[in-house]
Amino acid sequence: MGGAWQDEQTGGQSSLIWPNLTGVPKGTLKLFGTNGTHVDSLVAELDRWYEFLEFYVAHRVPHISPTLRALAPIVFQQATGIANVQLPPDRFDNTQTYASQLAKYQAEPPVRVLFENGAGDPSNLGAPYGDYSITFPSWPPPNAKPTTWYFQPDQRLSPAPPRIANSSGRASTSYVYDPTAKPATDFHGGTSDIWVAHPTFDWRVIPLGKALAFDSTPLATTTVMAGPGSVDLWLQSTERDTDVEVTLTELRPDGQEIYVQNGWLRASHRALDPSSTALQPVHPDTSATAKPLPKGKFVSARVALFPFAHIFRAGSRLRITVEAPGGNRPFWAFGDLMSTKTVVNDIGHSVTHRSAVVLPVITNPPAGIPAAYPPCGSVRGEPCRPIVSDGAATHVHASAGDRHATVVWTAAVPRSGDTIAAYHVTDSVGGTTLTVPGSASSTTFTGLRLGEHHFTVVTEYAQSHATVAATPSNNVLIDP
């Protein structure tokens, strides 16, 4: 049985049933996972399918004849449009007995995972060859260590949990929920058009102000991941229900962002089944367990990442994007919740509202990981796009004086073709807003009321007309 993590038709969840295949005689269960499209679970493993049929249907040692080898490139090209795809050499010796070769076959681990499918043949990039593989005795991989990166202010990821008090202005970051901010899908061709070596994706960058992108620092060592993941959000919304899409990507040192995997949740369906694990939240998705969001309160909302397998090389960064569903899948379009008013979602990153992503890091992966990054666009099912900034100001800090407060910030980074028109800085008490030019990096509020205040800085862009809210400032106390 095989499956592709980025399968555009069935999704990447085929491996979720693998642990339930318990009645299969030992040695006869063969499971295969790879990055890629719907066709890749067949074409990237065609020789292994042939082996299985030869052993268990024909009852003979697998041997691919010269005639079949000559026909294979023609079949591959007709199915995928990719030329010059050759079958690999035979793995079993047909001069030996059937029993001896069958025993060898059955002794192999039942699970095989192929990495970077599409990059395995430098002379034929995009063809269904991987450049690295790992076998496992079971699924999820027993050596997949749940590894946590916590959300932090200013849209950062860190291995350390946040230490921000829940009452602080810096305890959460907001985005505007807008299902219309991107096209519904990221591919506009026909079903089989996506199977070619280099399909044309329309994978748009995250919309300014309508998504959050939490980034890690560069990885110190090359990290291999395989299995399901979990994005454990602490969520608050101005609506009683909202839809969330999370996307895991790799930010490479060459300036490219590579799609890895995503997941979705309707917040009212956040209830967890007892079978949930650190890496795999399971939702009952029943009307009996559905529950609206409470007004003005954060709730735990774990979003399941479909299973995946990916090599994150040293120097790359992790990114988790949070936004309304849409624009990150080739054919899946979503029936998002719509509203006639502006909906704002807050993502917590405080002491008790510790949003995080938990990923399946493989301990002691086998040698042979290619040192070089695969060329952008060569890895099947994983489009790439230029890395862009989130457009928000950072490091917003407030200091108090005699009935006044000075707010400073680090300037936002505009995207290409855009400039900062102004910053709008708003006081949490009373809602007074001061507007300063885009060249400014501070402003001062006077005549403030007594009590605690924090301040939000919103960047306004001149060309795109987008507005992007930063993580608010720390709290300051205005006292007599």
Side-chain angles (χ1 to χ4, degrees), residues 313-335:
R313 289 170 176 81
S316 282
R317 294 175 290 149
L318 307 178
R319 169 173 281 184
I320 290 291
T321 302
V322 183
E323 60 188 322
N328 295 306
R329 293 286 301 182
F331 297 115
W332 288 12
F334 295 85

Side-chain angles (χ1 to χ4, degrees), residues 17-87:
I17 71 171
W18 293 357
N20 299 319
L21 302 177
T22 57
V24 182
K26 185 177 181 180
T28 63
L29 180 64
K30 301 298 177 183
L31 304 170
F32 170 69
T34 181
N35 64 280
T37 64
H38 185 66
V39 75
D40 282 282
S41 58
L42 174 63
V43 298
E45 189 79 346
L46 190 60
D47 59 313
R48 304 294 179 111
W49 287 103
Y50 179 78
E51 290 172 357
F52 187 90
L53 292 173
E54 287 291 280
F55 275 125
Y56 294 114
V57 178
H59 297 285
R60 63 192 177 200
V61 178
H63 172 67
I64 301 175
S65 69
T67 301
L68 186 55
R69 287 191 180 279
L71 286 173
I74 300 172
V75 174
F76 274 112
Q77 186 164 8
Q78 288 180 340
T80 67
I82 304 172
N84 302 317
V85 178
Q86 306 292 332
L87 291 172

Side-chain angles (χ1 to χ4, degrees), residues 215-443:
D215 301 345
S216 73
T217 56
L219 297 172
T221 59
T222 294
T223 303
V224 177
M225 300 186 192
S230 180
V231 180
D232 302 342
L233 299 179
W234 280 90
L235 171 69
Q236 177 179 276
S237 179
T238 56
E239 276 287 2
R240 301 304 303 275
D241 203 359
T242 190
D243 291 327
V244 175
E245 178 175 56
V246 295
T247 304
L248 170 65
T249 58
E250 176 188 8
L251 306 183
R252 304 194 329 186
D254 63 1
Q256 294 294 325
E257 179 178 10
I258 311 301
Y259 170 88
V260 178
Q261 194 53 284
N262 48 17
W264 306 266
L265 178 70
R266 178 156 289 179
S268 58
H269 287 241
R270 63 191 181 277
L272 292 172
D273 186 86
S275 64
S276 299
T277 67
L279 285 171
Q280 194 169 319
V282 178
H283 303 285
D285 288 319
T286 63
S287 58
T289 59
K291 191 175 182 180
L293 293 170
K295 292 182 179 180
K297 292 184 179 180
F298 282 92
V299 296
S300 173
R302 296 183 61 193
V303 188
L305 274 177
F306 276 174
F308 67 95
H310 193 81
I311 300 168
F312 295 87
R313 289 170 176 81
S316 282
R317 294 175 290 149
L318 307 178
R319 169 173 281 184
I320 290 291
T321 302
V322 183
E323 60 188 322
N328 295 306
R329 293 286 301 182
F331 297 115
W332 288 12
F334 295 85
D336 300 276
L337 293 168
M338 305 301 289
S339 179
T340 57
K341 55 188 177 182
T342 300
V343 179
V344 177
N345 292 343
D346 298 317
I347 302 299
H349 37 69
S350 64
V351 171
T352 57
H353 300 150
R354 301 190 303 182
S355 296
V357 57
V358 186
L359 298 174
V361 174
I362 300 300
T363 57
N364 301 314
I369 299 172
Y373 284 90
C376 181
S378 66
V379 180
R380 293 179 62 78
E382 298 187 12
C384 60
R385 64 190 180 191
I387 298 171
V388 296
S389 74
D390 55 47
T394 58
H395 303 98
V396 181
H397 181 78
S399 55
D402 183 14
R403 300 293 293 272
H404 73 271
T406 298
V407 184
V408 299
W409 59 89
T410 299
V413 178
R415 296 179 181 177
S416 178
D418 220 345
T419 56
I420 299 173
Y423 291 104
H424 306 283
V425 188
T426 301
D427 178 10
S428 63
V429 179
T432 299
T433 297
L434 300 181
T435 297
V436 297
S439 57
S441 58
S442 67
T443 191

Side-chain angles (χ1 to χ4, degrees), residues 3 48 72 87 101 104 122 124-125 175 209 260 278 305 380 433 453 459:
R48 304 294 179 111
L87 291 172
Q101 298 304 290
K104 180 181 176 182
N124 196 8
L125 291 172
Y175 69 97
V260 178
L305 274 177
R380 293 179 62 78
T433 297
H453 298 242
T459 307

